[in-house]
Amino acid sequence: MKEIVLITGASGTVAKVLEKKIEKEYSVRFLTRKKEHENEFEWNLKNKTIDEKAFENISHIIHLAGANISEKRWTDERKKEIISSRVDSAKLILETLKKKNIKLKSFISASAVGIYGAKTSEKIYSEDDEKGNDFLSEVVSLWEKAADEFHEKNVAERVVKIRTAIVLSENEGALKKMAMPIKLGIGSPLGTGKQYMPWIHINDLSSVYEFALKNEKLSGAYNASAPQHTDNENITKEIAEVLKKPLFMPNVPGFVMKLIFGELAVALLEGSRTSSEKIQKAGFEFEFPNLKKALENLLLKKN
């Protein structure tokens, strides 16, 4: 009998890639806003409703749900949505599990390297470092506290928090946004271009979740960030090189970014390096530790 894994954030790329990795060994279910397949169950965060059938006989939950950080300007309303989609969704799951008296083997939650704050320095951040003091670090801190409650309230035997770097994927996200202007001949670094960009290939990220699911000794926070460090200028040049496109536009000035994106610009103009040593010491091996190889795999797939 296969153990049952319930995944939130069904529409995201990570959930789809992860399902393919684990479906042979686990029975996979999804929580989604609109049911389309037999293994999907509906929930509505606004109305605080959830199909309790999703929880029957489950052993693990992988909580990936969360509004896109960089999709819209950070208005007060958007900030509330970003926090609620992560924290209130976890609370709704927790209360449902308590009500049904279900104890999980593991609760594995998405998190983000943004917990260290948006700042560019020579420091390389590890899981033991303190959180930053900006909006993103506050979001991630609340997110992780909501995850920790599953263990504190004796609802999960262990909690794992995957602090995710910028996810490189061919279908959506940062890479698609960065590659498009380069393909059109108008790509350029942002601000000084010296801000670090911790990154991870989509396949490696889904493998980190699989690794966390299968390794019962894992608990606590882990940086999901490739071991090779890069900055915005370098990744822009690497994308152009892989696509065989010239880069001749000047850097986009920081003040222009702030005019376009408001407070969100800080997350684009500042960035820190993060260490992957902890997850590697636990036994995880990256398929794509090298940026150039990762970009070639993603950008040249259809060529």
Side-chain angles (χ1 to χ4, degrees), residues 13-233:
T13 304
V14 179
K16 293 169 185 172
V17 176
L18 179 58
E19 180 186 21
K20 290 178 181 176
K21 281 186 181 290
I22 67 173
E23 62 185 356
K24 287 182 181 177
E25 296 177 63
Y26 297 88
S27 178
V28 182
R29 294 176 186 168
F30 291 102
L31 275 177
T32 182
R33 282 173 290 183
K34 189 175 180 182
K35 180 181 172 74
E36 292 181 359
H37 302 99
E38 192 178 338
N39 68 333
E40 294 179 344
F41 299 83
E42 290 189 6
W43 67 334
N44 187 308
L45 188 55
K46 191 175 180 181
N47 299 332
K48 295 185 178 180
T49 58
I50 197 164
D51 186 346
E52 295 185 3
K53 291 176 186 173
F55 300 97
E56 290 178 4
N57 302 311
I58 66 168
S59 298
H60 312 272
I61 291 179
I62 300 178
H63 186 38
L64 304 177
N68 190 314
I69 291 286
S70 59
E71 193 174 73
K72 301 175 184 176
R73 286 174 72 101
W74 289 349
T75 61
D76 289 344
E77 186 179 344
R78 181 60 175 173
K79 283 183 176 182
K80 288 176 185 175
E81 185 182 356
I82 287 169
I83 293 171
S84 176
S85 63
R86 290 161 170 77
V87 177
D88 293 340
S89 57
K91 287 180 179 177
L92 177 58
I93 293 169
L94 178 63
E95 291 306 315
T96 307
L97 292 171
K98 284 167 64 180
K99 174 185 164 186
K100 295 181 71 67
N101 199 29
I102 295 170
K103 184 161 185 179
L104 303 170
K105 288 187 176 181
S106 65
F107 182 81
I108 303 167
S109 177
S111 179
V113 296
I115 195 166
Y116 307 116
K119 46 187 176 279
T120 305
S121 70
E122 290 310 300
K123 184 175 176 61
I124 300 174
Y125 287 86
S126 70
E127 293 82 355
D128 294 329
D129 284 306
E130 291 184 5
K131 75 178 189 71
N133 58 2
D134 55 22
F135 171 64
L136 276 188
S137 57
E138 184 62 24
V139 169
V140 184
S141 180
L142 291 170
W143 197 359
E144 291 196 355
K145 282 178 184 175
D148 286 334
E149 281 199 35
F150 282 77
H151 183 65
E152 291 164 6
K153 298 287 177 68
N154 202 33
V155 174
E157 292 176 18
R158 64 188 178 104
V159 168
V160 186
K161 298 161 289 189
I162 308 299
R163 292 180 177 172
T164 311
I166 295 164
V167 183
L168 301 185
S169 164
E170 72 269 29
N171 296 321
E172 58 182 41
L175 182 58
K176 186 176 180 180
K177 289 176 182 175
M178 292 183 76
M180 185 57 69
I182 293 171
K183 288 176 181 177
L184 298 173
I186 53 172
S188 61
L190 305 178
T192 64
K194 301 304 178 187
Q195 64 273 33
Y196 292 108
M197 289 185 66
W199 62 275
I200 187 168
H201 190 294
I202 181 70
N203 285 4
D204 278 331
L205 179 57
S206 57
S207 293
V208 167
Y209 279 103
E210 180 186 20
F211 183 75
L213 177 65
K214 292 180 177 178
N215 286 267
E216 295 176 3
K217 292 181 180 178
L218 258 65
S219 66
Y222 292 85
N223 290 338
S225 177
Q228 184 185 355
H229 303 301
T230 191
D231 59 28
N232 179 264
E233 183 176 36

